[in-house]
């Protein structure tokens, strides 16, 4: 699990790139409003997924600085901060609305928060006696994103470094001893690598005596490729793992893994791979795809796919790996043949390793995660044992949620056994629409079975298999779930006792957060694996585990730790967060470094603690007296907002659904004295199966207000008129109230599909939120802006189309606006365009472009890699708005993907949104009552729009490749970080 988590961190990385001439953002603007003045914000929402291996892990939203104990992947770090190419003089003039422009800076009070140096990431040693402080840098320069990248089979590759493109890095590693009193000893700085080195994939050896990590220095030649280094933890001295300077890491997929305390298996670039394939000037023939066999193949629209034989050759060139077995004493030998290895998984006893690879025939319509996949087992000294499976190309996985690949899947090692495998196989052909029982069967087998020995059935499931938490032969927890109904079950099984009947421990709705019992805490085994921790309470022989829960309540989350008897179901709450002022969470066990039973009176856990105004710090809690020792003392990241005001508010939608939002107000603001403020409404819709679940409170009023580089909360710091105007009172008019994350539940109860009433429920939710902040006197009714990223941008455009009376303007970033361009499903919609034509059309703000009369700012990365949000979506939507005389502006950010990374881009996004809000929100003088009447007129015209919609649906891009917008989905079962 630890290594799997490092792979997830890797997917969120970006690479350091060589300087190139920077292209300014592309501006397209249509402005018909005589008012002028600017401001804005946004919560960036991105998601990335590993195409080869499902990682079942608890969402780590609360772990602001913490990274996995035994495998630390790349984070932002090191190097010069990018500079903005425009001058520091950012005074606004109307001429700047013309096409083209330069990168601009937002107001200093916003810029200073974004430019603040980031806090280090933390990682504990396997024995919990040391902590790594992994040092990072602030935002990278755009030159790093500008480096060439290959887009192949759903991934993006930096050819010079032979790794994923835009990969982040650390600038340094500090090692601290954790002393018995909870304090930290002096720093031991890892040293010996070249100055300016960029560090990735930091990984502890099992005994905690060494660190392995990758280093890259220059990037103009081979020196930019990654090399593996090792460091002695006691001295901090680092050296290259390989004596030869010509051995480079191939980190396109997996990178390296410790096999024992002195041996590492490394994915390397084959020394014999030759020159880069050359693209032929004249193709050998046309590009042909065929379905003469009449197969039903429906795929969501994927980006960056292979296009021809040349792309196939490039993919092989960059991804083919030669495994090398390297010892700390300098011994090196080849391990197996070269192949496109995607995963290296050693058995718990480190005697075997499972190698997963992909091979031809490749596909032009699905990414590499669906290519033919082969899984083999080898001994760790390089002897082939057996082939577990060789799965064919999987182009035909149905688009219905919970559909899966045929054959063996989720193949893993039992964490509680030396070398036993387990996996799942579907019984419904992988098609979630097929009704069958059982739906999944879990099998288990020793890695080297006796001749003729068949796999043993471990458990049968009627829902879709979602993972196993292992403990020992007497206890394991098996998870299954079904997305359509939101049902989730947890089974208790005894893997070593066939006569013990499996039983359901929990059977609940995944949406019902109030009933969530929590997840079992895991302990580290001597082999470095993680199993369910059994806890003994004195001489009591009962089987107890620790359930770590978020503690959702109508008053907000109150995290807890329960001592839970598996056999009787009885619970004892042994720890709970301070609910009056603080928000505390349990992170991991700290008393599992020794073998043997764990006793409650010797328990130690790592916790985090924060409040509305105090940033996250980490503590060690010790039993039996529950003494708390603070082990970090991070400074406040933005002291200028240390006294911001935060409140979790509750209100009701007109259909009775209970809604919540987090209301932020500027420091020292008093509504009775200062009057209502301009307000920024920033959200992201979510789908639910029941009104009760939709109305449940999520989050805590005591959580620290984390402010990201594009967060709406940046505007709490807005104090003065950056653009030199004198038409308003500076003490209040430039400050903002922020309504963050108002719940926008789209509910489809029973057999009803949520999206069939999307617009109706969207508008009702927004109306309720706006009415509440106006009622409280904190928001001026004619100065409320709406914004969002991705699906939130889709929401923004729809609200301006269908509820113009609520908002003065909108900011939409990286959205999709025409659902006919995603005909085989989007977000949580798994019906096709042809199955739900009216839903696709009515949900698309593109079809209602003629209704959008309020100003809307569209921002999009030119290299958006997210399925469903092609840059073309914003381009076409802008043209549709312009074609109807709408007030709109389109900003295309060169080199940026779905989320924005470069300092120049982020600063410019903030400048654009700040300007937009100042001009169309702060300075807005429109009559709200007139807007309400206009809104009613729009509704009355809906019945006459069907003909236009039908024309748009048939000619608006239905033949385009489908896109699947996957952000916001959380379909995997949860387990613990450790």
């Amino acid at each position: 699990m630890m290594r799997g988590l490092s792979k997830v961190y890797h997917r969120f990385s970006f690479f350091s790139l060589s300087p190139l001439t920077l292209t300014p953002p592309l501006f397209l603007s249509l402005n018909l409003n005589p008012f002028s003045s600017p401001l804005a914000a946004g919560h960036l929402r991105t998601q990335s997924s590993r195409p080869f291996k499902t990682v079942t892990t608890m969402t780590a939203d609360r772990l602001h600085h913490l990274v996995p104990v035994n495998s630390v992947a790349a984070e932002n770090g090191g190097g010069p901060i990018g500079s903005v190419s425009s001058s520091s003089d950012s005074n606004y003039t109307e001429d700047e609305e013309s096409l083209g422009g330069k990168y601009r800076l937002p107001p200093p009070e916003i810029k200073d928060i974004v430019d603040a140096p980031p806090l280090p990431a933390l990682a504990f040693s396997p024995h919990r006696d040391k902590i790594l402080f992994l040092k990072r840098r602030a935002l990278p320069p755009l030159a790093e994103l500008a480096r060439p990248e290959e887009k192949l089979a759903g991934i993006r590759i930096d050819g010079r470094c032979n790794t994923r493109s835009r990969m982040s890095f650390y600038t340094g590693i500090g090692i601290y001893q954790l002393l018995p009193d909870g304090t930290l000893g002096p720093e031991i700085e890892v040293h010996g690598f070249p100055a300016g080195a960029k560090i990735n994939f930091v990984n502890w050896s099992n005994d905690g005596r060494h660190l392995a990590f990758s280093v890259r220095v220059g990037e103009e030649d081979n020196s930019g490729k990654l090399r593996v280094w090792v460091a002695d933890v006691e001295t901090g001295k680092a050296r290259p793992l390989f004596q030869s300077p010509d051995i480079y890491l191939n980190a396109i997929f997996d990178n390296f893994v410790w096999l024992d305390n002195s041996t590492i298996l490394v994915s390397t670039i084959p020394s014999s791979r030759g020159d880069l394939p050359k693209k032929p000037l004249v193709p050998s023939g046309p590009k042909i795809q065929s379905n003469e066999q009449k197969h039903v193949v429906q795929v969501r629209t994927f980006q960056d796919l292979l296009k021809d034989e040349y792309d196939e050759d490039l993919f092989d060139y960059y991804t083919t790996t030669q495994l090398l077995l390297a010892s700390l004493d300098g011994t090196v030998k080849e391990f197996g043949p070269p192949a496109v290895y995607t995963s290296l998984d050693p058995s718990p006893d480190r005697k075997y390793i499972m190698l997963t690879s992909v091979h031809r025939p490749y596909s032009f319509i699905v990414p590499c995660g669906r290519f033919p996949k082969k899984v083999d087992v080898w001994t760790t000294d390089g002897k082939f044992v057996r082939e577990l499976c060789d799965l064919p190309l999987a182009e035909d996985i149905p688009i219905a949620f919970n559909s899966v690949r045929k054959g063996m899947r989720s193949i893993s090692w039992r964490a509680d056994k030396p070398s036993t495998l387990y996996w799942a196989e579907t019984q419904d052909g992988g098609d979630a629409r097929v009704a069958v029982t059982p739906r999944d069967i879990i099998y288990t087998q020793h890695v080297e079975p006796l001749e003729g020995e068949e796999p043993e059935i471990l458990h049968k499931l009627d829902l879709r298999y979602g993972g196993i938490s292992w403990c020992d032969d007497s206890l394991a927890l098996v998870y299954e779930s079904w997305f359509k109904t939101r049902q989730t079950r947890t089974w208790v099984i005894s893997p070593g006792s066939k006569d013990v009947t499996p039983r359901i421990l929990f059977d609940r709705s995944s949406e019902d957060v109030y009933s969530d019992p929590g997840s079992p805490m895991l302990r580290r085994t001597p082999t470095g694996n993680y199993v369910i921790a059994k806890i003994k309470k004195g001489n009591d022989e009962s089987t107890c585990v620790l359930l770590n829960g978020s503690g959702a309540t109508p008053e907000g989350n109150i995290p807890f730790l329960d001592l839970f008897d598996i056999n009787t179901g009885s619970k004892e709450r042994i720890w709970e967060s301070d609910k009056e002022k603080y928000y505390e969470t349990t992170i991991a066990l700290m008393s599992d470094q020794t073998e043997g039973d764990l006793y409650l009176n010797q328990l130690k856990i790592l916790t985090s603690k924060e409040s509305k105004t105090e940033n996250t710090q980490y503590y060690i809690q010790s039993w039996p007296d529950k003494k708390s020792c603070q082990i970090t003392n991070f400074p406040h990241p933005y002291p200028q907002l240390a006294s911001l005001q935060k409140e979790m508010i509750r209100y009701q939608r007109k259909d009775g659904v209970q809604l919540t939002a987090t209301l932020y107000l500027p420091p020292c603001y008093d509504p009775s004295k200062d009057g209502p403020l301009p307000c920024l409404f920033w959200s992201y819709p979510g789908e639910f199966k029941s009104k009760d679940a939709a109305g449940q409170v999520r989050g805590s009023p005591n959580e620290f207000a984390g402010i990201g580089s594009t967060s709406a909360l940046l505007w709490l710091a807005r104090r003065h008129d950056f653009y030199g105007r004198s038409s308003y009172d500076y003490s209040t008019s430039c400050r903002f109230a922020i309504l963050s994350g108002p719940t926008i539940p789209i509910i489809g109860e029973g057999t009803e599909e949520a999206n069939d009433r999307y617009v109706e429920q969207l508008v009702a939710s927004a109306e309720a939120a706006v009415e509440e902040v106006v009622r409280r006197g904190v928001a001026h009714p004619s100065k409320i802006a709406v914004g969002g990223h991705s699906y939130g941008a889709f929401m923004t455009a729809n609200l301006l189309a269908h509820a113009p009376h609520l908002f003065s303007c909108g900011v939409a970033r990286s959205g999709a606006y025409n659902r006919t361009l995603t005909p085989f499903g989007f977000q949580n919609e798994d019906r096709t365009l042809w199955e739900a034509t009216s839903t696709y059309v009515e949900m698309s703000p593109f079809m209602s472009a003629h209704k959008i009369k309020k100003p809307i700012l569209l921002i999009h990365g030119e290299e958006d890699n997210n399925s469903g949000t092609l840059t073309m979506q914003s381009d076409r939507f802008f043209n549709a708005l312009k074609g109807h005389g709408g007030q709109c502006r389109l900003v295309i950010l060169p080199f940026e993907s779905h989320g924005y990374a470069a300092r120049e881009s982020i600063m410019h996004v903030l400048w654009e949104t700040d300007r937009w809000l100042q001009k169309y929100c702060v300075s807005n003088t429109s009559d709200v009552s007139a807007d309400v009447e206009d809104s009613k007129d729009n509704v009355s015209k809906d019945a006459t729009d069907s003909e236009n919609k039908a024309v748009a649906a048939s000619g608006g891009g239905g033949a385009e490749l489908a896109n699947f917008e996957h952000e916001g989905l959380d379909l995997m079962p949860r387990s613990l970080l450790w």
Side-chain angles (χ1 to χ4, degrees):
M1 179 183 296
M2 300 304 304
R3 298 186 59 257
L5 282 168
S6 76
K7 298 168 191 175
V8 172
Y9 277 85
H10 176 204
R11 303 305 169 237
F12 285 103
S13 60
F14 61 84
F15 222 7
S16 177
L17 310 174
S18 57
L20 294 177
T21 302
L22 302 185
T23 306
L26 172 64
F27 307 93
L28 297 172
S29 181
L30 185 66
N31 189 353
L32 304 179
N33 194 307
F35 301 103
S36 54
S37 176
L39 188 342
H43 174 65
L44 177 62
R45 188 181 182 100
T46 63
Q47 187 176 39
S48 182
S49 61
R50 176 171 175 80
F52 290 95
K53 190 171 183 179
T54 299
V55 179
T56 56
T57 173
M58 176 180 289
T59 303
D61 293 341
R62 305 307 315 147
L63 309 183
H64 302 301
H65 316 296
L66 208 63
V67 289
V69 171
N70 194 43
S71 187
V72 184
E75 295 277 344
N76 293 347
I81 296 174
S83 60
V84 177
S85 58
S86 66
S87 68
S88 59
D89 178 13
S90 297
N91 291 330
Y92 165 74
T93 65
E94 289 294 332
D95 290 343
E96 289 164 358
E97 293 181 43
S98 62
L99 300 183
K102 296 181 178 180
Y103 287 100
R104 310 303 297 265
L105 290 169
E109 60 268 32
I110 291 176
K111 180 183 75 68
D112 291 346
I113 293 176
V114 177
D115 269 343
L119 298 175
L122 305 185
F124 284 85
S125 67
H127 299 303
R128 309 293 199 265
D129 59 341
K130 295 180 177 64
I131 306 176
L132 299 184
F133 276 51
L134 301 163
K135 302 168 186 180
R136 305 183 286 182
R137 64 171 176 180
L139 297 173
L142 186 62
E144 295 191 0
L145 274 65
R147 281 190 55 172
E149 59 182 0
E150 300 289 350
K151 302 173 183 179
L152 302 168
I155 59 176
R156 295 184 175 183
I157 296 171
D158 184 323
R160 290 185 180 180
C161 297
N162 215 101
T163 186
R164 297 296 180 97
S165 62
R166 308 184 180 192
M167 197 169 69
S168 62
F169 54 87
Y170 298 113
T171 59
I173 304 173
I175 305 171
Y176 292 86
Q177 183 77 31
L178 181 60
L179 302 177
D181 62 357
T183 60
L184 301 181
E187 181 188 44
I188 299 174
E189 186 173 4
V190 176
H191 60 280
F193 46 77
K198 300 172 181 178
I199 301 169
N200 295 96
F201 312 123
V202 183
N203 201 312
W204 289 95
S205 63
N206 192 42
D207 61 4
R209 296 177 58 188
H210 291 91
L211 295 173
F213 50 91
S214 69
V215 166
R216 54 193 158 104
V217 186
E219 288 165 354
E220 299 305 317
D221 50 32
N222 278 341
S223 62
K225 291 186 170 65
L226 281 67
R227 293 185 174 93
V228 180
W229 283 58
V230 291
D232 183 281
V233 171
E234 292 302 320
T235 65
K237 175 64 177 176
R239 62 177 176 83
L241 174 64
F242 298 107
Q243 295 179 0
S244 170
D246 298 323
I247 299 177
Y248 301 108
L249 185 67
N250 187 340
I252 300 296
F253 294 115
D254 219 335
N255 40 74
F256 57 84
V257 59
W258 289 91
L259 295 184
D260 58 40
N261 294 324
S262 61
T263 309
I264 306 177
L265 185 65
V266 184
S267 298
T268 68
I269 299 172
S271 58
S272 60
R273 79 172 177 181
D275 296 331
L276 187 72
K278 293 184 178 180
K279 188 177 182 67
L281 294 177
V282 178
S284 59
K287 299 175 183 178
I288 298 173
Q289 296 185 56
S290 175
N291 191 34
E292 295 182 48
Q293 297 79 20
K294 298 184 178 181
H295 296 313
V296 177
V297 179
Q298 298 180 351
V299 294
R300 307 226 182 201
T301 301
F302 299 105
Q303 303 247 45
D304 303 334
L305 300 176
L306 300 177
K307 299 180 292 296
D308 50 32
E309 292 181 3
Y310 172 69
D311 276 0
E312 291 181 307
D313 292 341
L314 274 183
F315 179 79
D316 278 337
Y317 178 84
Y318 287 119
T319 61
T320 298
T321 291
Q322 174 62 64
L323 300 177
L324 294 183
L325 204 59
S327 297
L328 297 184
D329 63 7
T331 304
V332 177
K333 73 172 184 178
E334 292 187 352
F335 189 104
V340 183
Y341 295 109
T342 60
S343 182
L344 318 176
D345 292 298
S347 61
D349 62 6
R350 295 306 200 258
K351 292 182 179 180
Y352 301 91
I353 186 159
M354 182 166 54
L355 302 179
T356 303
S357 60
V358 297
H359 59 81
R360 298 189 183 223
Y362 297 150
S363 171
F364 298 153
I365 65 172
V366 294
C368 52
R370 296 193 183 184
F371 287 178
K373 182 170 72 171
K374 190 169 179 282
V375 183
D376 294 329
V377 175
W378 293 65
T379 63
T380 50
D381 59 0
K383 297 178 181 178
F384 176 77
V385 177
R386 66 175 173 132
E387 178 186 289
L388 296 179
C389 65
D390 192 349
L391 304 178
L393 179 65
E395 290 183 332
D396 59 348
I397 299 176
I399 62 173
F401 288 109
N402 287 125
S403 295
V404 295
R405 191 172 194 154
K406 300 172 187 176
M408 297 173 69
R409 72 179 198 280
S410 302
I411 308 172
S412 301
W413 299 101
R414 274 187 62 166
D416 62 325
K417 291 289 184 181
S419 50
T420 298
L421 295 160
Y422 70 100
W423 65 91
E425 291 188 30
T426 178
Q427 307 301 299
D428 57 14
D431 191 345
R433 295 169 295 188
V434 174
V436 64
T437 184
R439 189 173 293 277
D440 271 341
I441 296 179
I442 306 169
Y443 295 93
T444 184
Q445 189 177 49
H446 187 267
V447 67
E448 293 194 72
L450 299 175
E451 185 175 353
E453 182 181 351
E454 294 296 321
E456 177 185 344
I457 294 178
L458 182 67
H459 194 46
K460 296 181 179 180
L461 300 169
D462 286 336
L463 307 181
R464 188 63 79 204
Y465 167 71
I468 300 179
S469 293
W470 297 96
C471 183
D472 52 32
D473 269 339
S474 67
L475 174 63
L477 300 182
V478 181
Y479 308 100
E480 63 173 340
S481 62
W482 198 245
F483 178 75
K484 276 289 187 184
T485 61
R486 307 302 197 271
Q487 183 181 13
T488 179
R489 290 176 181 160
T490 302
W491 290 83
V492 178
I493 66 171
S494 297
S497 303
K498 294 183 179 180
D499 56 339
V500 178
T501 302
R503 60 186 176 88
I504 294 177
L505 184 64
F506 304 120
D507 189 350
R508 48 182 292 274
S509 168
S510 60
E511 292 183 336
D512 182 9
V513 293
Y514 292 170
S515 70
D516 188 349
S519 302
M521 295 200 74
L522 306 182
R523 67 167 296 174
R524 187 178 186 275
T525 68
T527 60
N529 298 285
Y530 287 81
V531 299
I532 296 174
K534 281 186 177 180
I535 305 297
K536 289 198 171 187
K537 186 179 179 181
N539 296 322
D540 191 346
E541 294 299 321
S542 59
T543 303
C544 291
V545 301
L546 294 171
L547 292 182
N548 182 15
S550 59
T553 73
E555 287 71 44
N557 288 0
I558 306 173
F560 63 84
L561 196 60
D562 280 349
L563 190 65
F564 180 74
D565 190 313
I566 287 287
N567 297 319
T568 67
S570 62
K571 296 181 182 179
E572 177 187 350
R573 187 142 299 179
I574 63 171
W575 177 87
E576 187 175 70
S577 172
D578 178 341
K579 57 188 174 184
E580 299 302 322
K581 178 181 179 181
Y582 291 101
Y583 178 73
E584 301 169 284
T585 60
T586 298
I587 307 301
L589 281 174
M590 298 293 285
S591 52
D592 61 343
Q593 69 270 28
T594 58
E595 296 187 53
D597 294 328
L598 298 180
Y599 288 89
L600 181 60
N601 62 3
Q602 299 173 349
L603 188 66
K604 287 185 180 180
I605 59 173
L606 178 70
T607 64
S608 67
K609 184 177 181 179
E610 62 196 86
S611 72
K612 295 177 183 179
T613 57
E614 299 171 74
N615 54 303
T616 304
Q617 306 292 351
Y618 294 95
Y619 295 76
I620 292 180
Q621 300 266 358
S622 301
W623 270 253
D625 56 1
K626 298 184 182 179
K627 180 182 177 182
S628 181
C629 293
Q630 183 174 343
I631 60 173
T632 62
N633 189 25
F634 295 123
H636 197 292
Y638 20 87
Q640 59 270 55
L641 291 178
S643 59
L644 63 80
Q645 303 176 61
K646 174 186 177 182
E647 181 183 359
M648 182 178 286
I649 63 174
R650 301 173 181 83
Y651 48 97
Q652 185 172 289
R653 204 164 73 178
K654 62 184 180 183
D655 61 358
V657 176
Q658 297 295 316
L659 304 177
T660 60
T662 304
L663 176 63
Y664 292 92
L665 298 171
C668 304
Y669 166 73
D670 183 346
S672 63
K673 296 179 181 178
D674 301 327
L677 297 173
C679 179
L680 178 56
F681 174 115
W682 200 273
S683 192
Y684 192 98
E687 292 82 6
F688 293 87
K689 289 301 294 180
S690 74
K691 291 182 179 179
D692 288 343
Q696 292 182 351
V697 176
R698 293 162 173 82
S700 168
N702 296 326
E703 289 179 87
F704 181 69
I707 301 179
S709 59
T710 56
S711 171
L713 302 188
L714 288 166
W715 271 262
L716 293 169
R718 190 72 160 85
R719 293 293 301 183
H720 61 275
D721 184 12
F722 183 56
Y723 299 94
R725 305 197 182 281
S726 56
S727 58
Y728 11 91
D729 178 1
Y730 298 158
S731 65
T732 60
S733 65
C734 288
R735 296 194 291 173
F736 267 72
I738 309 297
L739 193 63
S740 176
T743 49
I744 310 285
I746 310 299
I747 305 166
E749 294 188 300
T751 59
E752 181 186 29
E753 295 290 343
N755 284 338
D756 290 342
R757 294 197 300 121
Y758 174 85
V759 171
E760 172 191 340
Q761 297 188 68
L762 178 73
V763 172
S765 298
E767 283 179 337
V770 168
E771 288 171 3
E772 178 63 17
V773 290
V774 171
R775 182 191 68 79
R776 288 170 172 261
V778 298
H780 193 293
S782 65
K783 299 184 179 185
I784 301 177
V786 60
H789 188 93
S790 198
Y791 207 54
F794 177 75
M795 169 206 76
T796 297
N798 266 309
L799 285 174
L800 292 185
H802 302 291
H805 59 290
L806 298 178
F807 303 105
S808 62
C809 64
V811 179
R813 298 175 181 168
S814 299
Y817 309 102
N818 184 352
R819 298 275 57 136
T820 70
L821 296 177
T822 59
F824 288 106
F826 59 91
Q827 201 72 6
N828 283 334
E829 179 60 66
D830 62 3
R831 295 172 296 175
T832 71
L833 169 64
W834 299 272
E835 292 170 326
T837 305
S838 60
T839 297
Y840 274 67
V841 171
E842 290 168 9
M843 285 184 69
S844 297
F846 180 85
M847 309 303 179
S848 300
H850 59 295
K851 296 181 181 179
I852 298 178
K853 307 301 181 183
K854 294 298 178 68
I856 183 169
L857 172 64
L858 304 174
I859 300 176
H860 217 121
E862 192 170 30
E863 303 295 329
D864 196 324
N865 65 339
N866 183 59
S867 300
T869 55
L870 290 165
T871 309
M872 172 183 65
Q873 288 270 6
S874 286
D875 184 64
R876 291 188 176 183
F877 188 43
F878 174 78
N879 286 324
L881 293 166
K882 186 170 62 172
H884 290 90
Q887 286 180 296
C888 50
R889 181 172 171 92
L890 172 62
V891 180
I892 302 297
L893 303 171
F895 307 118
E896 293 290 354
S897 187
H898 189 60
Y900 317 139
R903 182 178 185 272
E904 292 92 332
S905 301
I906 287 172
M907 291 297 182
H908 188 85
V909 165
L910 298 176
W911 179 85
E912 287 280 356
T913 49
D914 182 75
R915 170 189 171 275
W916 201 256
L917 291 181
Q918 288 290 340
K919 184 171 185 178
Y920 297 113
C921 180
V922 172
S923 298
N924 183 49
T925 58
S926 65
D927 187 342
V928 175
S929 61
D931 288 341
V932 172
E933 293 303 315
D934 288 343
S935 180
K936 292 179 180 178
D937 291 341
N938 280 338
V939 172
S940 67
K941 294 175 183 177
D942 282 349
T944 65
D945 288 339
S946 59
E947 182 178 351
N948 292 335
K949 291 177 180 178
V951 171
S954 62
E960 300 282 349
L961 289 177
N963 297 292
F964 173 39
E965 202 167 321
H966 59 264
E967 71 283 358
L969 301 183
D970 184 15
L971 309 183
M972 293 184 292
R974 301 184 304 167
S975 59
L976 292 181
L977 182 62
W978 270 283

